[in-house]
Amino acid sequence: MPDKSTSSEVTQAAAPETVSAARKIYPIVKYGDSILEKPTTPIKKFDAELEQLSEDMFASMYAAQGVGLAAPQIGLNLRLAVVDVTGGKNPEAKIVLANPEIIHAEGEKREEEGCLSIPGFRGYVLRPQFVTVKAQNAKGESFEIRGEDLLARAFCHEIDHLNGILFIQHLSMLKRDLIKRKIKKLRKQGEW
Ligand SMILES: [Zn+2]
């Protein structure tokens, strides 16, 4: 978990190892912000800053108890997302997706889905049961990864985000309009 006291620039005495552990927790952008519905810009520069951003995105995602987070959800127009379906329990399950693309999809599965940017609302979305994604990691190295069930769903959900698509766009118009009306009401009440 982040240590808020380390955000100050005064602590020259801190050892480099402890500095790297200080993570920035970004607030999550909510539905209604236009950045969530715009396609993102591909990443061209892979540097220490991008690695740090990826780690901050994991920290922000864990803080919000999500299993995936896309850059537009923290207000950045970048083709970058992070996924960890173990919720931080297994460090090896952390996946950085820079410039990801789905190169193969198979099967179908209908499961309930939610989104950190649309808190409190869920809906059943049909997704492929298996997907293969081609992407780059935070260092710019290309890789392919196959996901099944929840992992496949998370890949699809996050890549949708990078294309400006939200899960409610996969719901029936009736269900989507109901959610939009409820959000409108919440916004009027100052609760969104
Ligand atoms: Zn989402």
Side-chain angles (χ1 to χ4, degrees):
M1 288 305 284
D3 179 359
K4 286 193 185 77
S5 66
T6 53
S7 61
S8 137
E9 67 273 36
V10 198
T11 52
Q12 281 276 317
E17 303 87 73
T18 61
V19 170
S20 65
R23 300 265 65 113
K24 180 175 161 71
I25 304 296
Y26 286 91
I28 310 286
V29 171
K30 280 188 185 173
Y31 176 76
D33 190 317
S34 64
I35 196 161
L36 292 175
E37 295 177 79
K38 280 182 197 147
T40 48
T41 308
I43 294 168
K44 293 196 180 87
K45 207 170 142 200
F46 292 88
D47 54 10
E49 213 177 300
L50 188 74
E51 286 188 57
Q52 195 161 330
L53 174 63
S54 306
E55 286 305 318
D56 289 344
M57 283 176 67
F58 278 113
S60 304
M61 178 183 83
Y62 297 140
Q65 295 185 311
V67 295
L69 185 69
Q73 294 183 278
I74 56 164
L76 300 175
N77 184 303
L78 273 181
R79 206 160 172 81
L80 176 70
V82 297
V83 169
D84 178 357
V85 294
T86 74
K89 287 190 190 88
N90 176 7
E92 283 173 25
K94 289 166 74 180
I95 304 161
V96 175
L97 300 172
N99 303 325
E101 271 179 79
I102 292 172
I103 55 169
H104 183 74
E106 222 182 296
E108 283 183 339
K109 210 147 188 191
R110 200 177 168 80
E111 289 286 349
E112 211 177 29
E113 200 169 308
C115 178
L116 293 177
S117 294
I118 314 176
F121 297 95
R122 298 181 69 79
Y124 280 88
V125 179
L126 189 68
R127 300 279 192 190
Q129 189 183 357
F130 303 94
V131 295
T132 305
V133 172
K134 189 181 171 189
Q136 285 162 282
N137 64 19
K139 289 187 163 61
E141 299 157 342
S142 294
F143 66 96
E144 282 181 19
I145 185 167
R146 182 174 151 98
E148 182 180 352
D149 296 333
L150 179 60
L151 187 56
R153 181 167 299 272
F155 287 157
C156 293
H157 182 110
E158 299 315 321
I159 292 170
D160 264 0
H161 268 303
L162 302 180
N163 294 327
I165 296 166
L166 299 166
F167 86 90
I168 55 170
Q169 281 162 258
H170 293 291
L171 305 177
S172 69
M173 202 187 281
L174 194 74
K175 175 94 187 186
R176 182 167 62 242
D177 286 347
L178 183 70
I179 292 176
K180 283 185 179 178
R181 270 206 306 278
K182 284 183 180 167
I183 291 174
K184 213 172 182 178
K185 201 173 161 196
L186 287 171
R187 198 178 288 130
K188 267 187 198 152
Q189 295 164 341
E191 289 166 28
W192 189 262

